[in-house]
Amino acid sequence: MEPPSTNLSVREPVVLDCSPVPAGGVNTDEVLVEPYELPDPLVFENGAAVTRSNWGERRTEILNLFEDHVFGRTPEGELSAITEESETGTALDGAATRRQVRLTFSNNDRSIAIDVLIYVPSSVDGPVPVFLVPNFDGNHTIADDPDIVFSAGATRDRGGDAGPRGSKTGRFPLATILGRGYGLATFYSGDADPDIDDGFANGVHHLYYSDAQTTPEPYEWGTIGAWAWGCSRVLDHLGTEQAVDDDRVIVGGHSRLGKTALWAAAQDKRFAAVFSNNSGCTGAALSRRRFGENVAVINTLFPHWFCRNYRCYGNDEAALPVDQHQLIALVAPRPVHIASASEDGWADPLGEFLAAREASHVYELLGAGGLEREDFPSPGEVSLGPISYHLRDGEHALAEFDWVQYLDFADNHVR
Ligand code: GCU
């Protein structure tokens, strides 16, 4: 049997008709996980076998399924864009150069601005590899530094009070990252689209609407799609920064932004690698396990994150044409690091590990190796293969321990 044609230009809209189910119970007992069968990344939808030479077509097929049924299609086409420098200075007692730029995108009589905060180590000659890690709470929260431009978007999204400077320094151990010779770029995810179910009133969606459109179609992007789009626009900008090696940008994120990082790297092959920290449901965790947060729950709590079609799979994960090991596989053969925390049952650590293991089949087909262990690790254990995995002891968080593993992973696979 021949692989199917995957010509993007002839894709039909996919509009599912269902009554979304409300959030029901949540299982956190491993004994109650029911048997499930995963869709095979190495078999085309029409049953044809995937080989190394036709993986590109299967990749497109899987990507299209994630677009139409999970995250929604990201519109194509460049927006009118302006880049303004906000500030350049030194930070970390001279150990780093800090750059801040504002990227403004316009169309349809609307505009949005993404403030990008970039650090590069002063001690390194030449372009450096950079971690691009968006933040939830505003750029001013990642370090207690009065020179960081307050995120205006965070002020808007939090009723006028964007919270104190430096409240999230624990998630961004700058001295550790820069001391290892890497740069860090970040932006407030709400600059691309606020994390509010407000009918997409303030984000990038409006800029791409066609005539008379007022909301995304059921198969079009939600907020996570917009955040991933923001990562790609920041990567465009990093390509203009002389101190940055844009062939070695590792996109990463924690939790909802860990879901985003995987989706960004799946869509945009320019990202050299990805880390996804405690990303859970619709991130790295297998949906069919229905352990911890599930599809009905996530669509009830965060209806704006995904495309509307995704709501049809609440309490019906078996009907999903994809599962999350295939999202990881879309990154192949580029290096990917998945991490869980031992007390983070909501994100299903075992489901994250199993997805990483299942994605290995694609990496192996492409000759890239894969996850280098079969058994679920004990807390504190780290496996640094082309697919890396670690289980940190403790709660849902992006901690210094996690960063040290991501830096080791980058040393091994990106540097
Ligand atoms: C909630 C949500 C998760 C998400 C997390 C986060 O717990 O249910 O899906 O990953 O928030 O982003 O912190």
Side-chain angles (χ1 to χ4, degrees), residues 326-403:
Q326 294 170 304
L327 179 62
I328 300 171
L330 289 175
V331 181
R334 292 166 292 158
V336 53
H337 192 143
I338 306 297
S340 314
S342 61
E343 295 166 19
D344 190 13
W346 186 244
D348 187 13
L350 179 58
E352 296 178 318
F353 172 79
L354 293 174
R357 201 175 77 182
E358 289 297 322
S360 287
H361 299 306
V362 173
Y363 279 73
E364 282 154 12
L365 176 78
L366 301 179
L371 184 64
E372 293 173 351
R373 64 179 297 152
E374 283 287 310
D375 56 319
F376 187 52
S378 300
E381 284 188 324
V382 181
S383 175
L384 288 181
I387 298 182
S388 293
Y389 180 85
H390 74 260
L391 178 66
R392 179 178 41 75
D393 196 11
E395 297 176 344
H396 186 72
L398 174 56
E400 173 109 14
F401 178 89
D402 299 308
W403 270 105

Side-chain angles (χ1 to χ4, degrees), residues 39-53:
D40 189 341
L42 297 184
V43 177
F44 282 95
E45 295 305 290
N46 70 1
V50 174
T51 63
R52 194 163 169 169
S53 61

Side-chain angles (χ1 to χ4, degrees), residues 203-214:
V204 64
H205 298 83
H206 272 273
L207 277 56
Y208 279 106
Y209 284 162
S210 49
D211 290 346
Q213 187 174 5
T214 56

Side-chain angles (χ1 to χ4, degrees), residues 136 255-256 259 278-279 281 293 298 301-302 305 346 396:
F136 295 140
S255 208
R256 65 198 71 185
K259 309 180 209 293
N278 304 182
S279 58
C281 184
E293 187 173 27
I298 202 166
L301 295 176
F302 305 100
W305 281 0
W346 186 244
H396 186 72

